[in-house]
Amino acid sequence: MIRRVLPSALLVLLVLMVLPFAWHALTRPVLALQGVPEALDRLFHPGAPLSNLAIYAHMITGAVITATVPLQLLPVIRRRAPRLHRLSGYTLATTAVFTGLAGLLYIALQGTVGGPWMSGWFALYGALMILAASNTVYHAIDKDVTRHRRWALRLMVLAVGSYLYRLHYGLWFATTGGIGVDDFHGPFDRAMVWAFYLPYLALLELWFLGERRLSRKPT
Ligand code: HEM
């Protein structure tokens, strides 16, 4: 019983944890439109409508995937409402591809506050998100359930990555007061630009490896 309920409980808990950040990402573009100075800050570039549109639109679509990709993995919906799972799956994959593309466009046009080092790792993050979303859909259409599931889990890790980035900073400040943080150029900043997604993806690959080994074991 617990083994059946636990994954769903964890997914719902994850959604509850990311909600405040998703709300922040969703409302920031609205506040920017209203001209609230804190929402405009360094990401708004006067006279650059394309990069402004890209960065604020990616926040909205990013908020949507952060809060809803974990729900997409709920077994009960997959089993009981497969049509809903398919429809929301296409929508979320498209939203994730858009988020990645818009983030990449902003990086190409404006770079990032952390310079080329941060831009490179954020660009890889965006590229991986596009790759994961495309492969999730591709393997679903191909009816390859195993690969579909693996890519969907990779997509979920990436979708909550932006939340994890902020969570890492929050925990670091709470425990150390911010050692190594220096306006996006300190050692902690330079590690965090990859540490919010690569270690989690690596752990997931280890999990898949374990599953493969188990499934090969004779019973
Ligand atoms: C997963 C969902 C995502 C959400 C919810 C999200 C949300 C946000 C938010 C709220 C900001 C404003 C920064 C702040 O909090 O002060 C931001 C900045 C940014 N995001 Fe995302 N984002 C997501 C995914 C991505 C992806 C996939 C990329 C990669 C292409 C990306 C690239 C960027 C860049 C380049 C910035 C500006 C960095 C800077 O110079 O300050 N984001 N994002």
Side-chain angles (χ1 to χ4, degrees):
M1 174 71 177
I2 287 195
R3 279 189 66 182
R4 224 156 48 91
V5 173
L6 191 64
S8 302
L10 290 176
L11 286 169
V12 172
L13 182 68
L14 181 62
V15 172
L16 292 176
M17 283 166 69
V18 301
L19 273 184
F21 167 64
W23 182 249
H24 159 77
L26 197 66
T27 50
R28 201 169 147 161
V30 179
L31 296 175
L33 270 179
Q34 291 169 348
V36 175
E38 300 84 64
L40 290 167
D41 66 18
R42 62 170 199 281
L43 297 176
F44 180 80
H45 303 272
L50 189 58
S51 68
N52 291 337
L53 184 67
I55 195 73
Y56 288 108
H58 112 285
M59 287 182 204
I60 297 174
T61 55
V64 171
I65 59 167
T66 306
T68 52
V69 168
L71 293 177
Q72 177 72 9
L73 275 88
L74 282 174
V76 66
I77 298 182
R78 267 192 349 247
R79 258 185 276 117
R80 301 228 176 129
R83 280 182 65 172
L84 174 67
H85 175 80
R86 211 172 303 138
L87 191 69
S88 51
Y90 282 125
T91 312
L92 286 182
T94 311
T95 311
V97 169
F98 177 88
T99 307
L101 284 177
L104 287 174
L105 179 62
Y106 178 83
I107 294 170
L109 293 173
Q110 302 292 348
T112 58
V113 68
W117 176 258
M118 182 181 186
S119 300
W121 288 108
F122 268 49
L124 177 65
Y125 174 49
L128 287 175
M129 185 170 285
I130 295 167
L131 184 75
S134 318
N135 270 289
T136 305
V137 171
Y138 174 81
H139 291 297
I141 294 171
D142 201 33
K143 308 253 181 288
D144 186 337
V145 179
T146 307
R147 288 201 170 89
H148 170 64
R149 173 181 163 270
R150 285 195 195 126
W151 280 105
L153 285 167
R154 289 175 187 124
L155 179 60
M156 189 191 72
V157 167
L158 291 164
V160 298
S162 283
Y163 159 75
L164 294 173
Y165 181 68
R166 275 81 180 175
L167 180 71
H168 288 178
Y169 271 91
L171 292 175
W172 191 248
F173 268 95
T175 50
T176 72
I179 294 172
V181 177
D182 184 11
D183 198 20
F184 296 95
H185 288 83
F188 183 80
D189 302 309
R190 292 172 71 80
M192 274 316 108
V193 292
W194 53 264
F196 72 95
Y197 63 99
L198 284 186
Y200 298 101
L201 286 177
L203 281 176
L204 192 60
E205 294 311 315
L206 281 177
W207 171 269
F208 293 153
L209 203 69
E211 278 186 341
R212 280 192 203 106
R213 288 221 176 113
L214 269 180
S215 67
R216 260 186 250 125
K217 255 191 189 165
T219 47

